[in-house]
Amino acid sequence: EIVLTQSPGTLSLSPGERATLSCRASQSVSSRYLAWFQQKPGQAPRLLVYGVSSRATGVPNRFSGSGSATNFTLTISGLEPEDFAMYYCQQYGTSPKMFGQGTKVEIK
Amino acid sequence: EVLLVESGGDLVRPGGSLRLSCAASGFIYSSYDMNWVRQAPGKGLEWISSISNSGITIYYADSVRGRFTISRDNAKNSLYLQMNSLKAEDTGVYFCARDRGPSDYWGQGTLVTVSS
């Protein structure tokens, strides 16, 4: 199975700052099947990015994904108040479709 | 509008059983694979099972294999999760999600509590 490790565990930033979230895989993720999700307390996860770098419908362009093979990044170019939340990466190319443990983006 | 609504969550004793349902609407249900994902209180997301659109291909996480069974009824636009031999560590919110490669639509979840 592919294990995903996200870092940092918590990111403390101010609105307007740039957030850089990392997701490292224990082996190469097949066919770029790497997604990022946002989750707020009491809500279901929301798909942000799939295929490493494609934004889901309705996702603002301040969210961007990049990377390849075993190293992936989600960048939020300028944090808006609604962006403070938990973020998870997931590989969906092979089962088990593991999630990373999450990065919390909190207000500094 | 795509809508997924889970039901069936409850308080159950260790060793007990529960059947979760997920009602789908707003899309051609029989064309999509489906997933179950759970989240223990205060913890991260855990993928637990997937089923192909036909119901033929099924996968499970090691943590539930042999105890949980995923199934679907395309005539009723419904997804199911039969959970047997429940343990305290199965406690959490269970989400169903449409699989378009990544899970693009999610229900709001149903809470399962395993406790004596």
Side-chain angles (χ1 to χ4, degrees), chain A residues 1 35 37 39 42-47 49-51 57 86 88 90 92 95-101, chain B residues 33 35 37 39 43-47 50 59-62 95 99-104 106-109:
Chain A
E1 70 182 37
F37 296 86
Q39 188 182 32
Q43 295 186 15
R46 172 196 180 194
L47 177 65
V49 170
Y50 63 96
T57 303
M86 284 293 296
Y88 297 93
Q90 185 199 25
Y92 54 94
S95 290
K97 299 179 182 180
M98 303 289 287
F99 289 90
Q101 81 279 19
Chain B
D33 298 355
N35 297 313
V37 175
Q39 187 168 36
K43 302 298 184 182
L45 301 172
E46 180 187 15
W47 170 86
S50 293
Y59 298 100
Y60 296 103
D62 288 346
F95 298 99
D99 189 314
R100 201 208 71 182
S103 293
D104 62 347
W106 298 62
Q108 283 304 300

Side-chain angles (χ1 to χ4, degrees), chain B residues 47-104:
Chain B
W47 170 86
I48 57 173
S49 187
S50 293
I51 186 168
S52 64
N53 63 324
S54 65
I56 291 175
T57 303
I58 287 173
Y59 298 100
Y60 296 103
D62 288 346
S63 58
V64 305
R65 186 177 293 111
R67 300 187 300 121
F68 290 11
T69 302
I70 191 172
S71 63
R72 64 190 296 161
D73 185 335
N74 286 345
K76 294 183 177 180
N77 288 354
S78 292
L79 177 71
Y80 305 103
L81 187 68
Q82 177 66 43
M83 305 187 295
N84 298 331
S85 303
L86 283 160
K87 307 174 182 179
E89 52 263 41
D90 295 318
T91 293
V93 176
Y94 284 70
F95 298 99
C96 66
R98 189 178 82 167
D99 189 314
R100 201 208 71 182
S103 293
D104 62 347

Side-chain angles (χ1 to χ4, degrees), chain A residues 8-21:
Chain A
T10 302
L11 203 48
S12 299
L13 296 167
S14 300
E17 288 193 296
R18 180 186 188 94
T20 303
L21 287 67

